[in-house]
Amino acid sequence: MKTRAFAFQKHVTCDRICGMDAISRKTVLQGKIRVPGSKSHTIRALLLASLAEGTSHISNPLPSADCLSAANALPLLGAKVDFGGGDDAVWTVEGAGKSVHLPDDVVNVGDSGSLLYFMSPIAATFPGWSIFTGDESIRNRPVEHVADALRQLGCGAYISRPGKNAPPLLIDGPVTKYKVVTDGTLSQYVSGMMMAATRMNGTLEIELTDPKETPYLTMTRLWLESFGVKVSVAPDFRHITVAGPAPIPAFDRTIPSDWEAVAFPLIAALMTDSEIVIENVDGSGSQGDDAIVHVLQSVGADISWDRAEGNLTVRGGRRAHAASGAVPGRLSAQKLPAGELHVNLAGFPDAICAVAAIACVIEGTTIIEDVGVCRRKETDRIDVMKKELEKLGVNTEEGPDCLVIHGHAPLTQSGEKNSLFTLHGGTVESYGDHRVAMALSCLGPAMPDGETLTVKDTECCSVSFPGFFDVMNRIGAGFAIL
């Protein structure tokens, strides 16, 4: 069954070489939609299942390129993966347990930063050398913060190219010390150390001087605590302890829906005269990205969340239920202090692309703050979103850790066409970044009459949302893929 995963990755690589453009224009969305399982939960589940003693079953996994990279890396630790029948509904992992070992080959993480940052601290717990590399994007992702943390834990950690803060990363284990002081602005390597602590012969202490992306640390804590691992996280996230060693038992889990994926049909519906229901929405609170609902409701978005049923109903434009005296579907920051929408994304920075896109149709200034970490993702997302939105007529600014969108609603307060609304069609680049590609594509259905939007190289969407365009087209998005 492993062959299917490798075939999928080969297909993705071929698409990236060939290119795949998405073309769209004004339309209305209608119907019910489900987004795939959470990438963050799926990769954590895979790695913890590989360490477990016994057989684990993972239901509703995300069969994305990143998650398949993680699944394909598990046999290097001694685990076995079965991708099930034809629907990928359940993945089975035979954990290595007590026989888990040093990766027996170079770990190629593909395009998965999560796998790189999660698995490298785990590999460091074994005596001997391990090597981590990946595709071109990964070989430009920062890794010195990981190397520094591993050195503090008593390991050798080396970057192979002098003067290049990026993989290949070479690690000489095992861990012999149990105290790390690091900034924590990127959360994934911190989660990696927390998971690795289950293999350490002592209590790991992590001091974070500038913790960001903290909901993901909470997600890791909840996973570990569910297995009985003793974890302590300070309210300000500056002090974390994990008691090891702690054996992981086999488990059966269902992966919740991915809020990072929910954001895209959500904003597309709000920007158009649409009404959709997003089903199977995660209400557990384990994903910080669900805060986008409150953010958008603060500017008048018509979003109803039935937590008991797990359904999110979204109405945009003329289908929206407006407050008394307001234009239905008109999003505006004018009632907020200084007429500005301030969105602090320190806890869920991957939402920057979706928030920047929807900000184009919000009357007033949207200031996306505390997102300096987004300059170190698959792309510099602050720079990329600014550059591409300006091609579509949007007035933007940027700072070292912020992105400012001066947006306008299509309609004025009196319900007439807004002469200040300048969003128009054109051709934009994705830069091979899945979140950039999906966010820009969602602007297509919101285009003015007669305008067309082309987003280049959108095959990268498979990294986190396989079948994104097929799913969106089932509710009327009308994407043409060339």
Side-chain angles (χ1 to χ4, degrees):
M1 301 304 287
K2 288 182 284 186
T3 303
R4 295 181 61 236
F6 283 114
F8 182 97
Q9 289 186 311
K10 183 178 180 182
H11 172 70
V12 170
T13 302
C14 178
D15 278 344
R16 286 181 178 165
I17 293 171
C18 298
M20 188 175 78
D21 302 341
I23 302 173
S24 56
R25 54 186 56 83
K26 185 175 181 178
T27 189
V28 172
L29 310 181
Q30 182 71 32
K32 296 181 179 181
I33 187 174
R34 283 197 176 207
V35 303
S38 163
K39 181 178 78 166
S40 299
H41 276 293
T42 298
I43 296 180
R44 283 170 173 81
L46 286 167
L47 286 173
L48 290 167
S50 74
L51 300 177
E53 194 74 50
T55 300
S56 299
H57 300 92
I58 303 170
S59 300
N60 194 41
L62 174 64
S64 72
D66 277 11
C67 295
L68 291 169
S69 291
N72 288 329
L74 301 192
L76 301 179
L77 297 172
K80 297 179 181 179
V81 184
D82 186 330
F83 292 89
D87 58 4
D88 287 341
V90 179
W91 291 355
T92 301
V93 180
E94 185 180 327
K98 295 176 183 177
S99 300
V100 67
H101 54 68
L102 183 77
D104 55 17
D105 199 352
V106 173
V107 181
N108 188 322
V109 302
D111 191 32
S112 178
S114 297
L115 179 59
L116 168 67
Y117 297 137
F118 287 171
M119 190 171 174
S120 52
I122 293 173
T125 64
F126 299 98
W129 288 86
S130 54
I131 302 172
F132 286 80
T133 189
D135 68 5
E136 182 179 1
S137 172
I138 285 293
R139 296 195 306 275
N140 284 284
R141 295 281 290 272
V143 78
E144 175 57 38
H145 58 295
V146 181
D148 176 71
L150 295 180
R151 292 183 198 116
Q152 292 183 53
L153 294 175
C155 300
Y158 310 91
I159 297 172
S160 68
R161 292 174 288 173
K164 183 71 173 180
N165 178 15
L169 172 66
L170 290 73
I171 302 169
D172 183 14
V175 167
T176 58
K177 301 177 182 178
Y178 306 103
K179 177 72 177 287
V180 173
V181 179
T182 186
D183 65 2
T185 54
L186 292 167
S187 70
Q188 291 168 319
Y189 74 113
V190 181
S191 284
M193 289 189 289
M194 292 171 69
M195 288 186 279
T198 63
R199 287 191 32 78
M200 296 181 188
N201 293 316
T203 297
L204 174 65
E205 296 184 51
I206 305 173
E207 298 287 345
L208 302 181
T209 59
D210 188 21
K212 305 290 185 184
E213 304 181 330
T214 53
Y216 296 107
L217 300 180
T218 298
M219 183 186 294
T220 304
R221 174 181 64 80
L222 291 172
W223 269 98
L224 294 176
E225 287 180 339
S226 73
F227 302 127
V229 181
K230 294 182 179 179
V231 183
S232 173
V233 179
D236 61 2
F237 290 89
R238 290 181 176 270
H239 184 72
I240 299 171
T241 63
V242 183
I248 305 296
F251 55 88
D252 293 348
R253 295 289 176 86
T254 298
I255 300 299
S257 56
D258 192 347
W259 264 101
E260 293 169 0
V262 167
F264 298 111
L266 170 62
I267 64 168
L270 290 175
M271 292 190 284
T272 55
D273 295 333
S274 301
E275 181 173 355
I276 66 171
V277 176
I278 307 174
E279 299 179 316
N280 194 36
V281 170
D282 178 20
S284 69
S286 63
Q287 301 180 62
D289 301 72
D290 61 6
I292 194 172
V293 171
H294 175 72
V295 169
L296 295 175
Q297 287 174 331
S298 74
V299 292
D302 184 355
I303 306 171
S304 302
W305 188 357
D306 185 336
R307 291 177 180 266
E309 295 294 327
N311 292 334
L312 201 69
T313 301
V314 188
R315 301 179 184 91
R318 287 174 292 187
R319 292 180 179 269
H321 299 160
S324 177
V327 175
R330 185 176 188 267
L331 305 180
S332 175
Q334 291 176 327
K335 292 185 178 180
L336 300 177
E340 296 176 342
L341 172 62
H342 288 256
V343 188
N344 189 305
L345 292 186
F348 54 113
D350 283 339
I352 183 174
C353 301
V355 173
I358 189 71
C360 299
V361 300
I362 297 174
E363 188 67 35
T365 298
T366 298
I367 303 172
I368 305 172
E369 303 171 316
D370 209 352
V371 286
V373 68
C374 292
R375 296 192 182 278
R376 295 183 282 168
K377 296 289 186 176
E378 284 85 338
T379 60
D380 180 341
R381 287 176 175 163
I382 295 176
D383 176 69
V384 164
M385 289 302 294
K386 177 182 187 300
K387 187 182 304 180
E388 300 311 303
L389 290 178
E390 287 180 345
K391 293 179 182 178
L392 303 177
V394 182
N395 183 8
T396 71
E397 301 177 61
E398 69 172 293
D401 67 347
C402 70
L403 177 62
V404 180
I405 310 293
H406 300 288
H408 293 286
L411 300 178
T412 66
Q413 285 181 301
S414 60
E416 301 172 346
K417 283 190 176 181
N418 188 352
S419 62
L420 298 177
F421 183 71
T422 57
L423 181 69
H424 59 70
T427 299
V428 291
E429 303 289 337
S430 71
Y431 300 87
D433 187 326
H434 53 123
R435 303 203 193 284
V436 171
M438 288 185 282
L440 293 174
S441 295
C442 286
L443 288 170
M447 284 290 123
D449 289 331
E451 298 281 347
T452 299
L453 175 65
T454 300
V455 184
K456 305 287 288 185
D457 300 324
T458 57
E459 66 284 344
C460 55
C461 296
S462 65
V463 167
S464 61
F465 198 149
F468 170 72
F469 295 106
D470 290 337
V471 171
M472 291 295 290
N473 281 348
R474 286 199 286 271
I475 55 172
F479 288 109
I481 307 299
L482 301 177

